[in-house]
Amino acid sequence: MPLKYSAVFDVIFEQEKSIAQLMDLSGLAKYQYKEVNNQFNAIYQLIYSKYAK
């Protein structure tokens, strides 16, 4: 499952916040990071469905 590169990765480490937290702070960030956030959520769901049981 590929993960699109995004500038949000630099911002995550600079501000020490998750993508979801950044999206909550700004409507523009919510729009810009939506695709990457969805990709992370899909990865989390895949991991959870295979290994959390």
Side-chain angles (χ1 to χ4, degrees), residues 5 8 27 35:
Y5 175 77
V8 73
E35 186 177 347

Side-chain angles (χ1 to χ4, degrees), residues 10-46:
D10 294 331
V11 177
I12 289 170
F13 292 109
E14 288 172 7
Q15 296 191 15
E16 298 180 354
K17 297 184 184 299
S18 69
I19 295 175
Q21 289 171 320
L22 294 170
M23 290 174 69
D24 287 341
L25 295 175
S26 162
L28 180 60
K30 185 178 282 190
Y31 174 77
Q32 287 180 316
Y33 305 148
K34 182 178 181 179
E35 186 177 347
V36 173
N37 188 56
N38 290 340
Q39 291 173 353
F40 267 108
N41 287 339
I43 291 169
Y44 294 145
Q45 286 292 76
L46 179 68

